[in-house]
Amino acid sequence: MWPALKKDDIVFIKNVEKDELKVGDIIVYENSDSANNQTPIFTIHRIVKLNKSTIKTRGDANNIADPLVKYENVIGRALTIGDKPLRIPHLGKITSLASNLR
């Protein structure tokens, strides 16, 4: 999600209803492949299109869109200040270090 978000950023997210989402929002969602994995896999990307039952997303630095996301897989939307996501740079390193200890 560079340049809006950078590696090791902590990003604040808020639970949202389907009708609150709009094109341009940055959302966190659980990937559909997570069902076959014991550890959930989450993605944070920007909404590029809203459909009736799915959402099309893409990372800001990506040239192609992601597989469609079901609304029920959305965890939340990034909190923003103005149009920029609320983040704390580098604090995510703690989470990365902790997950490597397992």
Side-chain angles (χ1 to χ4, degrees):
M1 281 298 299
W2 183 88
L5 302 173
K6 295 170 183 59
K7 184 179 184 222
D8 295 326
D9 284 354
I10 289 286
V11 180
F12 295 89
I13 61 169
K14 175 187 175 194
N15 188 26
V16 290
E17 299 296 323
K18 176 181 176 179
D19 61 342
E20 296 177 86
L21 296 172
K22 62 187 183 313
V23 171
D25 284 348
I26 296 173
I27 60 169
V28 175
Y29 60 90
E30 185 171 357
N31 289 304
S32 55
D33 331 350
S34 292
N36 299 328
N37 190 341
Q38 292 181 352
T39 306
I41 300 168
F42 299 101
T43 300
I44 183 165
H45 278 170
R46 194 177 301 275
I47 295 174
V48 294
K49 184 176 182 183
L50 295 167
N51 301 308
K52 187 174 183 175
S53 60
T54 59
I55 304 168
K56 184 185 278 189
T57 63
R58 183 176 63 227
D60 287 355
N62 297 350
N63 293 325
I64 57 171
D66 304 317
L68 294 175
V69 177
K70 295 178 182 175
Y71 282 96
E72 57 264 23
N73 290 351
V74 174
I75 306 300
R77 175 179 60 204
L79 288 175
T80 58
I81 297 176
D83 62 346
K84 298 191 186 273
L86 180 58
R87 65 188 186 88
I88 301 176
H90 310 294
L91 195 58
K93 287 180 184 176
I94 294 169
T95 306
S96 297
L97 290 170
S99 65
N100 288 332
L101 295 175
R102 288 194 259 161

